[in-house]
Amino acid sequence: MNIILFGPPAAGKGTQAKKLVSERSLIQLSTGDMLRAARASGTELGKKVAGIMDRGDLVSDEIVIALIEEQIELNPAAKGFIFDGFPRTVAQAEALDLLLTQHNTKVHSVIRLCVDDEALLTRVTKRFKEEGRKDDNPESFKVRLANYNSQTALLLPYYSTQGKLTEVDGMADVATVSTAVSKVLGKNDNGSGFSAAVVKKGFFARLFGK
Ligand code: ADP
């Protein structure tokens, strides 16, 4: 099952992605984490994206798509992926669809974490103090939010017309959000609840001889 965690910066995508990794044995692919790792190890790519990230701007589609493609190729036996912070533009969403189709799979579910702007600012201010992430400063955050609204939010109709989008209240505490996410995805890994219904039907049919 391939899941996209969607939402503005600091909505809690990373936190929920990590919970899903441990609960469902999926692989988390966070472009933000990959780019930060590239910076930390001082690669050419890291040097190229550092300024862009610190300003709060989007790294080019070409770069992030290549990072995602590489990870999908490296994990052929994965049960599924959780995309966190990707896709962020329509071009990225189209590239992801193509990549997954080439691997005979698709995006199954897109979960939008809804958090209002004021709460996002409070969270990011706290994280800036605690972790010192450069792009969590108020100016860069403003740019990130503007980019989200002008480019990333365009993906909402892209996925809702495909019937894949579900909204979850991201204002609640971590455990409550996590419960809501699990409810959307269902107990079974296919997320449809279909096999549970089939099992139940078979059970009663045997019991009552129907
Ligand atoms: P957040 O979701 O909290 O804004 P991320 O850790 O996902 O932060 O991303 C941090 C930065 O990395 C972004 O502001 C951007 O510069 C870059 N980045 C991450 N993912 C993408 C992407 N899919 N497309 C373009 N740039 C990206």
Side-chain angles (χ1 to χ4, degrees):
M1 182 183 209
N2 299 304
I3 303 161
I4 295 175
L5 284 177
F6 193 87
K13 302 183 293 285
T15 306
Q16 293 303 324
K18 288 191 176 68
K19 281 187 159 279
L20 289 172
V21 167
S22 62
E23 287 165 13
R24 294 174 186 253
S25 314
L26 300 173
I27 293 180
Q28 178 190 6
L29 297 184
S30 159
T31 39
D33 286 351
M34 292 177 207
L35 294 168
R36 277 186 288 278
R39 289 183 66 171
S41 52
T43 60
E44 277 312 308
L45 171 68
K47 284 179 201 152
K48 199 166 158 185
V49 298
I52 302 171
M53 291 177 76
D54 289 349
R55 275 201 310 277
D57 274 324
L58 292 183
V59 169
S60 75
D61 288 336
E62 199 190 353
I63 290 178
V64 290
I65 291 167
L67 289 172
I68 290 287
E69 181 170 13
E70 188 181 19
Q71 288 304 313
I72 292 177
E73 302 294 343
L74 281 172
N75 293 285
K79 271 178 74 183
F81 297 99
I82 303 165
F83 298 95
D84 151 18
F86 180 94
R88 259 173 155 97
T89 62
V90 173
Q92 291 178 23
E94 289 171 348
L96 179 62
D97 280 344
L98 187 64
L99 270 174
L100 293 176
T101 305
Q102 285 163 353
H103 289 82
N104 300 314
T105 185
K106 61 176 184 173
V107 171
H108 294 88
S109 187
V110 181
I111 297 181
R112 176 189 186 187
L113 299 177
C114 300
V115 180
D116 66 41
D117 288 2
E118 205 180 315
L120 295 173
L121 188 62
T122 309
R123 288 182 189 184
V124 96
T125 307
K126 182 167 172 267
R127 191 165 73 181
F128 189 45
K129 279 185 196 140
E130 288 170 359
E131 298 173 22
R133 216 176 102 176
K134 278 189 185 156
D135 61 346
D136 280 344
N137 75 73
E139 286 73 40
S140 302
F141 184 68
K142 232 185 260 169
V143 177
R144 285 158 66 195
L145 206 52
N147 282 329
Y148 173 79
N149 287 319
S150 66
Q151 303 200 54
T152 310
L154 296 177
L155 293 179
L156 293 169
Y158 183 90
Y159 288 117
S160 67
T161 53
Q162 295 179 34
K164 293 179 178 171
L165 185 72
T166 311
E167 296 191 346
V168 163
D169 176 13
M171 299 285 285
D173 59 81
V174 172
T176 307
V177 176
S178 167
T179 305
V181 169
S182 296
K183 221 179 201 172
V184 173
L185 298 176
K187 286 240 180 304
N188 304 303
D189 278 357
N190 63 16
S192 64
F194 181 70
S195 27
V198 170
V199 169
K200 224 184 245 170
K201 214 169 150 196
F203 175 75
F204 285 116
R206 276 195 303 280
L207 200 64
F208 301 113
K210 285 180 184 165

